[in-house]
Amino acid sequence: MLPFTDEYYMRQSLAEARAAAAEGEVPVGAVMVCNDRIIARAHNQTERLNDPTAHAEMLVVTAAAGVMGAKYLADCTLYVTVEPCVMCAGAIAWAQIGTLVYGASDEKKGFRRYAPGALHPKTVVRAGILENECAEEMRTFFRNRRQ
């Protein structure tokens, strides 16, 4: 697989999602990329931290801002396995992230359903990258949890 493609970075996010699942967390993973370099990575940690805001996107935005030494991340691209919720979309907007790339849509909790205008107006969105693999991580996790 060639590096520096949406698929490459989404596979990195999938690795984070699988780490989340292994820890009993909802399998959402994210990486932040700037100048073709991953500057931060995270996965859901709501159970581990007992914090409902510890979503992968929130954690990776915080980490990336620390690495960049800036609160605005306009030159960065966020890759996340599942469409962000409204809370995370707000954080993405406040950070003015240049590009958001996500895998699977979230029909129940995704920002596009409840707040389609939540992102910064200049943020570019690309959806459906490795969508089936990202969705399968979620399906498998919840199927196993119900058993």
Side-chain angles (χ1 to χ4, degrees):
M1 174 182 301
L2 294 173
F4 315 131
T5 65
D6 284 347
E7 291 79 12
Y8 173 82
Y9 293 119
M10 190 59 71
R11 289 199 189 287
Q12 300 301 308
S13 295
L14 275 164
E16 287 294 321
R18 290 178 182 122
E23 296 171 9
E25 300 278 357
V26 174
V28 178
V31 298
M32 190 74 74
V33 175
C34 192
N35 297 321
D36 294 328
R37 192 174 126 244
I38 295 173
I39 62 168
R41 55 179 65 233
H43 55 270
N44 276 3
Q45 293 188 39
T46 60
E47 300 300 324
R48 170 192 248 176
L49 300 176
N50 197 30
D51 179 356
T53 68
H55 290 192
E57 301 95 323
M58 301 293 281
L59 298 172
V60 83
V61 166
T62 299
V67 168
M68 298 298 286
K71 64 181 179 179
Y72 299 123
L73 304 171
D75 295 330
C76 296
T77 300
L78 170 61
Y79 290 86
V80 61
T81 55
V82 178
E83 176 186 353
C85 69
V86 174
M87 175 186 68
C88 293
I92 292 164
W94 285 110
Q96 298 182 17
I97 292 171
T99 305
L100 166 65
V101 181
Y102 66 86
S105 295
D106 185 345
E107 302 301 323
K108 293 180 182 179
K109 305 247 179 172
F111 78 94
R112 289 202 165 186
R113 176 176 182 182
Y114 295 104
L119 299 179
H120 189 276
K122 292 183 180 178
T123 299
V124 173
V125 178
R126 292 194 296 273
I129 306 300
L130 300 181
E131 181 175 16
N132 291 337
E133 289 179 56
C134 293
E136 186 56 32
E137 285 298 320
M138 295 293 278
R139 282 191 295 270
T140 299
F141 177 81
F142 285 108
R143 185 180 323 114
N144 291 342
R145 198 170 187 178
R146 286 188 296 271
Q147 293 176 350

